[in-house]
Each structure stands twice: as C-alpha cells, then as structure tokens.
C-alpha cells in the first residue's frame, strides 16, 4: 500500500513498531514514519485533532480506534486486517456522526469477478515492480517452524512465499 500510494502521488505516513524498518518504509515511498506507540495508546476522547484524509488499517484494535478519531472531515478508513484484534476498545460513533468518516471493509471472495480482475490490473500497473522484489522473501518448508516463530515475534517484514521445492 505504501509503494502504490506513493507512486500515485500521495504523501504517505507509515506506522511501525520497529524503528529499524524506517529506511525500508522510506524506500517504499513513506514520507513520514510514525512510531506505533503514538497510535496504540488508548484515548478516552471521542474525537482528536484532524490528522488523516484517508487511512489503510491492517492492525485493528486500539490503533483503529485512534485513527478513526483523528480522521479529517469526510475521511475514509479501509480496514484490511486485525493484527491487534477484532475489537475496537475505545470505539465511538462520534467520528461518523460529526465528521462523516467512512469505515470500509474488504471482500476478496464475494466481489464480482470483473472487479477483482480490475483490482489485480491496477496492482500490476500501480505497484512499482522494482519495489516488489524487496517486499518478498522465499522460504522452503523446512524453514517454516523457525519462520513461524519469527512472524509471531514481529521479526518478518513484507510477504513470505513458501516454495516446497526449496
């Protein structure tokens, strides 16, 4: 998402809990790096200062709640994951009522075929292919136990391809 949005001309802020990945995120196109702690702390405020025009949230949980409270008027958040959980502890409907914020879900199963084809076409043209190689690592089946532990510890970045022939 960072690489695609940066290529399309957006100023992208990337959130990470691992400061050592800042250069990687900047290389993908992030203009700003935000420490995860800044957005993962609970807030009892129903709204916060407007900060984001749009967001893609792969985390869920408290972070999604904080992002929703910081959305600009008529902003939109695409919720694409739940790494921090399916619940939003500090959730309130205030951003939706007072700022017209939209919360968008994803659906890769029931989307009409033509829309899925168009999504893949857009990825093939909007994702800088020179960035793709740095996002993907290939591993054999024998590496899976150790790799699984590394993933759970948050030590793996990008996408993993499992090649059973390795």
């Amino acid at each position: 998402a960072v690489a695609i949005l940066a290529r399309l001309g957006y100023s992208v802020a990337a959130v990470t809990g691992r400061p050592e990945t800042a250069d990687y995120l900047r290389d993908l196109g992030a203009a700003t790096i935000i420490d995860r702690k800044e957005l993962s702390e609970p807030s009892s405020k129903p709204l916060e200062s407007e900060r984001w025009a749009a967001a893609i949230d792969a985390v869920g949980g408290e972070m999604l709640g904080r992002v929703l409270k910081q959305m600009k008027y008529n902003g939109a958040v695409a919720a694409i994951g739940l790494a921090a959980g399916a619940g939003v502890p500090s959730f309130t409907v205030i951003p939706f009522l007072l700022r017209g914020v939209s919360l968008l879900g994803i659906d890769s199963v029931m989307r009409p075929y033509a829309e899925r084809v168009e999504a893949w076409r857009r990825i093939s043209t909007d994702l800088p292919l020179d960035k793709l190689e740095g996002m993907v690592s290939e591993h054999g089946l024998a590496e899976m136990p150790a790799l699984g532990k590394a993933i759970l510890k948050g030590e793996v970045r990008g996408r993993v391809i499992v090649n059973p022939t390795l």
Side-chain angles (χ1 to χ4, degrees):
V2 171
I4 290 171
L5 293 170
R7 181 178 186 148
L8 293 173
Y10 293 97
S11 177
V12 178
V15 179
T16 183
R18 299 182 343 207
E20 69 274 9
T21 65
D23 289 338
Y24 166 73
L25 293 168
R26 281 190 193 91
D27 184 55
L28 290 179
T32 306
I33 307 298
I34 297 171
D35 189 311
R36 176 176 50 208
K37 291 176 191 168
E38 188 177 327
L39 291 172
S40 61
E41 293 296 321
S43 168
S44 60
K45 296 177 183 178
L47 285 176
E48 297 182 23
S49 297
E50 293 179 79
R51 187 172 186 184
W52 316 111
I56 298 173
D57 176 73
V59 178
E62 195 62 56
M63 191 172 298
L64 176 56
R66 288 293 302 276
V67 168
L68 286 167
K69 293 175 185 186
Q70 296 175 2
M71 293 305 297
K72 292 183 178 183
Y73 184 76
N74 275 340
V77 178
I80 65 167
L82 43 86
V88 184
S90 65
F91 179 78
T92 134
V93 298
I94 300 298
F96 308 110
L97 298 175
L98 298 182
R99 291 189 181 156
V101 171
S102 296
L103 179 59
L104 312 167
I106 61 166
D107 171 24
S108 61
V109 178
M110 300 303 291
R111 297 295 330 152
Y113 178 76
E115 290 180 23
R116 287 184 279 145
V117 168
E118 175 60 12
W120 283 109
R121 187 198 65 74
R122 286 292 306 268
I123 289 171
S124 74
T125 59
D126 296 345
L127 177 62
L129 294 181
D130 62 320
K131 306 288 184 197
L132 184 59
E133 194 169 313
M135 293 180 211
V136 177
S137 61
E138 188 174 8
H139 300 271
L141 287 175
E143 299 173 76
M144 290 303 100
L147 186 62
K149 289 176 184 174
I151 289 170
L152 291 173
K153 288 181 184 176
E155 297 172 347
V156 175
R157 71 172 195 213
R159 296 294 172 253
V160 172
I161 294 175
V162 179
N163 183 341
T165 64
L166 289 181

